[in-house]
Amino acid sequence: MVPRDDLDDEDFPPQVYRDDEDASVHSHESATSDAVLINGSEASDEYDSPQEPYHANKYIHPRFQRYWAATVKWVKGPQPPRPWKIRPFFPAVQTAPIKFINNYFPKRKHKVILLIFFYFCWFLSFSLVLHRSAFAADIPGYGSPVHIRCTDRFWNDGNGCGLNGDLCRPFENSSMPFRCPANCKRVQLLNSHAVGDQEPVYRPLVVGGPTDEEESLKNTYYRADSFICGAAIHAGFINDQSGGCGVVSIVGERSHYPSVNKNHIKSIKFDSYFPKSFSFLEGTRSKCRDLRWPLLAVSLTFTILLSLFTTSPAVFFPSVFFGIFFHVALASDPPNLTDYYAIVSIALGRFLPASFCMFAVYKYCVQRQQQGLHAQIEKTVLWLGGCWVGALNNYTFDKIPIERLTPHDIKQQPGAIPALIIVVLSLFCIALGQAWALRVEGRLPRYLAIYGIFVATLLALVAVPKMNVRIHHYILGLLLVPGTAMQNRPSLLFQGILVGLFINGIARWGFDSILQTPNELRGDANLGTLLPLLAPPIINNNFGLNIRPNITFEWDLPFPKFYDGLSILVNDVERYRGYEDREESSFTWVRHDEDLPDYFRFAYMTGTGTGDYTKAGKWRVDGGWKAPKPGAS
């Protein structure tokens, strides 16, 4: 791969190179020789004394003028420009697929018929495997399994299950056939979640696990606010790579949820009781599987064949975009929905606007890069391989410990800062390499102007008050892909990756706005509301008496402005909801089990909505009180 100083016979003839100074001298001599004198009779009778033209340069030091002129000359690149051209390694091998097609299908109509047959085989193979993957057979005795998401739970955060958890009943004697998708192990908490006095984050929400040495399903149970699919993987009931079906049983109140490291998931310990738990029924595991890996094999096979046997960018790019887009949207990283028909509807709705974006990318980037390219194997490995790497972002770049580019996440997530430094340095080095390649082609000034507009626009968006800039996958791909519009090997790889990131971003998440409100970015994080201040509790341990221990909390009335109630959680379950108009200023809790601690959290209410809860205070087994730490949980 070299700049085209001397082109092939089929390209333009060799050109004579000269630098800017020679070009200016040549232009001056040409202008002098072509000049024509005006006869005196044709000249004007009026005479204006010549005025010295105004030059701002006289206020600039000559050294800086020389530096600026040298910089401008360097940025313009060699004169005339030298376009890049890939000269394939082992050309006889790389052009063999093209020769095969030309020998056995010499006419254009033969190639068209072959392409239509190829599309039909691709569609049929993908559809058959997808149908088998998406729709599972009934589980004997329990009916059709319910499609659940990786984040589905039986219990809501805070007071989402109502007083005493009544909105999340039944607590026991119930079962549900379910089906989990593949790749649920990677789903983690992005914001802290209270489990007693613990606040786990950036890990799967799985509380509990096996309670015996044999780790049998019979003695394995989980707290109801655990991820169902994550718990099933932890228990070994289903496989993370292919998902699975089975029956989950609601087993009521349990205590002493252990922390067990199993199947690459370390569960969370909880040393008290919870009113609702679940386990998995032995013998109900079904053979249903999420066939995303067989579907990947189908899509990979057909896109590789298309890449090897096609030289036309107008055939290659739209076909690959269509195939990979629907593979991501329907198989490898579909939207987080349980109804598969709704997933198909969303994919079709996102495909049309994505196609318009990709048409612009094809016209100004892909076509320029791949026109006249006959390195079939290199194109397949670099461009198509890079595209698949970007499109499978949930398995590739998602391993980088950066969930969201927000100051909170970068500061809190382990390994985020070193990962961000490495990513930024890598992008900087790549940008320098691409800038040099654009300079050789004489297009660097134009692209500096384009990216200057991009940077100015982003800075203007950052200045918008009460909004946050968030650069999503698809925005990153669209912003960087213009810098790959040249035919060299690094650009093949980078362009494929960027197109793949765009496909993954749109197929999975859609066209999210580049400007988002703080509420959209916060998700289930703390609201930053006022926290209740309560006096130290009154504890009656009643040791030696036939009276159960109790603890009383008191507070002042009226509540602060904008609040009219108080919510109290005991062991992460709402046990008290009081309002100012009832004139209640205390709450007494009677201990249920003297061998287990109790955890209390408090929050102000406005109507039925709550603000942030405090961190947990602990009523220990020995009767002592451990006050909550400052801040929200």
Side-chain angles (χ1 to χ4, degrees):
M1 174 188 65
V2 294
R4 290 184 287 186
D5 291 347
D6 297 319
L7 300 182
D8 300 332
D9 295 338
E10 60 186 13
D11 294 299
F12 299 103
Q15 303 181 47
V16 178
Y17 291 92
R18 59 179 183 274
D19 56 22
D20 287 342
E21 294 179 0
D22 295 337
S24 61
V25 172
H26 180 76
S27 300
H28 176 72
E29 294 175 353
S30 175
T32 304
S33 61
D34 293 341
V36 178
L37 295 176
I38 302 177
N39 294 329
S41 59
E42 297 175 1
S44 172
D45 294 336
E46 298 179 359
Y47 175 76
D48 293 330
S49 59
Q51 297 181 356
E52 182 180 353
Y54 174 80
H55 293 291
N57 291 343
K58 65 183 181 180
Y59 298 103
I60 302 175
H61 194 279
R63 177 180 297 176
F64 292 106
Q65 294 185 35
R66 290 196 301 270
Y67 290 159
W68 175 254
T71 302
V72 171
K73 178 181 177 181
W74 184 89
V75 169
K76 287 182 179 179
Q79 297 296 325
R82 295 176 285 172
W84 291 94
K85 176 71 174 180
I86 292 180
R87 302 184 184 277
F89 299 118
F90 309 105
V93 176
Q94 297 206 50
T95 57
I98 305 174
K99 295 177 181 177
F100 175 84
I101 291 293
N102 292 333
N103 289 336
Y104 290 93
F105 302 93
K107 295 184 179 180
R108 181 182 179 84
K109 64 179 182 179
H110 295 161
K111 293 183 175 66
V112 172
I113 294 173
L114 178 63
L115 184 62
I116 294 174
F117 178 74
F118 177 85
Y119 287 153
F120 173 78
C121 294
W122 188 357
F123 176 79
L124 182 63
S125 302
F126 189 83
S127 300
L128 291 176
V129 180
L130 180 65
H131 182 271
R132 185 176 180 183
S133 173
F135 302 98
D138 292 349
I139 298 177
Y142 294 93
S144 179
V146 177
H147 288 256
I148 63 175
R149 299 165 294 186
C150 295
T151 55
D152 281 345
R153 301 179 289 161
F154 288 116
W155 197 273
N156 299 321
D157 293 338
N159 68 340
C161 284
L163 193 61
N164 298 316
D166 289 339
L167 299 180
C168 292
R169 289 184 179 274
F171 288 167
E172 57 184 340
N173 297 326
S174 177
S175 61
M176 181 189 75
F178 71 95
R179 178 175 186 176
C180 285
N183 202 29
C184 282
K185 185 176 65 178
R186 70 182 179 90
V187 178
Q188 300 179 341
L189 292 165
L190 297 184
N191 297 299
S192 60
H193 175 88
V195 179
D197 58 353
Q198 306 171 80
E199 295 180 17
V201 67
Y202 298 118
R203 60 186 297 184
L205 179 55
V206 178
V207 184
T211 58
D212 59 351
E213 294 182 359
E214 293 77 14
E215 298 185 348
S216 61
L217 281 178
K218 182 179 179 181
N219 296 310
T220 298
Y221 53 84
Y222 300 89
R223 218 172 81 157
D225 58 345
S226 303
F227 293 151
I228 301 173
C229 294
I233 296 171
H234 181 263
F237 189 71
I238 66 172
N239 186 281
D240 179 58
Q241 294 183 347
S242 58
C245 300
V247 176
V248 58
S249 176
I250 309 301
V251 296
E253 182 177 303
R254 292 289 187 273
S255 61
H256 293 296
Y257 298 85
S259 175
V260 180
N261 193 348
K262 186 180 179 183
N263 295 321
H264 305 288
I265 295 177
K266 186 176 182 180
S267 61
I268 303 165
K269 180 180 179 180
F270 182 59
D271 59 354
S272 190
Y273 60 91
F274 200 79
K276 186 174 183 177
S277 307
F278 64 88
S279 63
F280 302 98
L281 294 182
E282 291 184 279
T284 62
R285 184 188 309 176
S286 177
K287 293 183 179 180
C288 71
R289 294 194 308 154
D290 186 333
L291 300 177
R292 62 180 61 190
W293 297 111
L295 281 168
L296 177 61
V298 172
S299 298
L300 270 177
T301 299
F302 282 95
T303 52
I304 289 173
L305 289 175
L306 186 74
S307 177
L308 290 175
F309 290 91
T310 304
T311 58
S312 171
V315 174
F316 168 75
F317 181 74
S319 304
V320 169
F321 166 69
F322 183 93
I324 297 182
F325 182 92
F326 281 101
H327 176 88
V328 173
L330 303 179
S332 69
D333 200 11
N336 201 13
L337 299 172
T338 57
D339 184 0
Y340 212 83
Y341 295 104
I343 293 176
V344 174
S345 175
I346 289 178
L348 291 173
R350 293 172 176 174
F351 175 72
L352 186 59
S355 299
F356 280 103
C357 295
M358 286 295 97
F359 172 76
V361 170
Y362 167 76
K363 184 174 179 62
Y364 296 104
C365 302
V366 178
Q367 186 179 32
R368 182 185 185 96
Q369 181 192 82
Q370 298 189 8
Q371 194 70 42
L373 177 63
H374 299 291
Q376 301 300 98
I377 296 178
E378 293 180 69
K379 179 182 70 172
T380 303
V381 172
L382 295 176
W383 198 99
L384 183 62
C387 188
W388 274 111
V389 168
L392 298 175
N393 173 68
N394 53 323
Y395 293 98
T396 54
F397 297 116
D398 217 21
K399 304 296 183 181
I400 300 174
I402 302 176
E403 293 290 344
R404 297 173 297 189
L405 285 175
T406 60
H408 174 268
D409 280 27
I410 293 173
K411 183 178 179 181
Q412 297 295 325
Q413 188 168 4
I417 295 179
L420 181 63
I421 293 174
I422 294 173
V423 169
V424 170
L425 290 177
S426 300
L427 290 177
F428 179 74
C429 294
I430 291 172
L432 288 180
Q434 293 300 104
W436 177 81
L438 286 170
R439 173 188 172 273
V440 172
E441 286 200 346
R443 295 190 290 143
L444 185 56
R446 185 189 315 167
Y447 279 81
L448 288 177
I450 292 174
Y451 281 98
I453 295 173
F454 288 166
V455 172
T457 303
L458 289 176
L459 293 177
L461 293 175
V462 170
V464 176
K466 298 182 179 180
M467 299 289 284
N468 296 96
V469 174
R470 187 176 180 188
I471 301 179
H472 301 276
H473 293 74
Y474 79 94
I475 296 175
L476 184 67
L478 291 178
L479 288 178
L480 299 182
V481 76
T484 64
M486 63 194 116
Q487 194 182 114
N488 58 17
R489 292 180 178 88
S491 296
L492 276 178
L493 176 63
F494 301 147
Q495 188 178 99
I497 292 175
L498 293 173
V499 170
L501 285 176
F502 173 86
I503 292 174
N504 179 268
I506 300 302
R508 176 62 178 87
W509 305 104
F511 286 90
D512 278 354
S513 173
I514 192 173
L515 281 180
Q516 293 184 307
T517 63
N519 288 338
E520 290 177 306
L521 293 176
R522 183 175 62 241
D524 58 354
N526 294 330
L527 301 171
T529 57
L530 187 65
L531 298 174
L533 293 176
L534 281 72
I538 302 171
I539 301 176
N540 296 310
N541 288 309
N542 300 323
F543 294 132
L545 302 176
N546 195 22
I547 303 174
R548 301 186 70 84
N550 62 76
I551 185 170
T552 300
F553 298 93
E554 296 181 341
W555 54 86
D556 294 330
L557 292 177
F559 291 124
K561 189 177 180 180
F562 306 119
Y563 299 105
D564 61 356
L566 184 73
S567 172
I568 300 178
L569 303 183
V570 183
N571 293 338
D572 305 319
V573 180
E574 188 177 43
R575 298 297 185 178
Y576 175 81
R577 183 183 294 185
Y579 292 92
E580 187 175 309
D581 53 11
R582 298 178 183 174
E583 297 184 355
E584 297 178 356
S585 59
S586 66
F587 165 69
T588 299
W589 173 255
V590 179
R591 174 165 270 172
H592 290 191
D593 192 327
E594 298 183 20
D595 296 326
L596 299 175
D598 287 322
Y599 299 92
F600 298 84
R601 293 189 288 139
F602 312 88
Y604 285 124
M605 300 183 65
T606 302
T608 58
T610 64
D612 293 331
Y613 281 92
T614 64
K615 295 185 182 298
K618 183 178 180 180
W619 186 15
R620 300 192 302 265
V621 176
D622 61 6
W625 171 253
K626 181 180 179 181
K629 297 179 180 179
S633 60

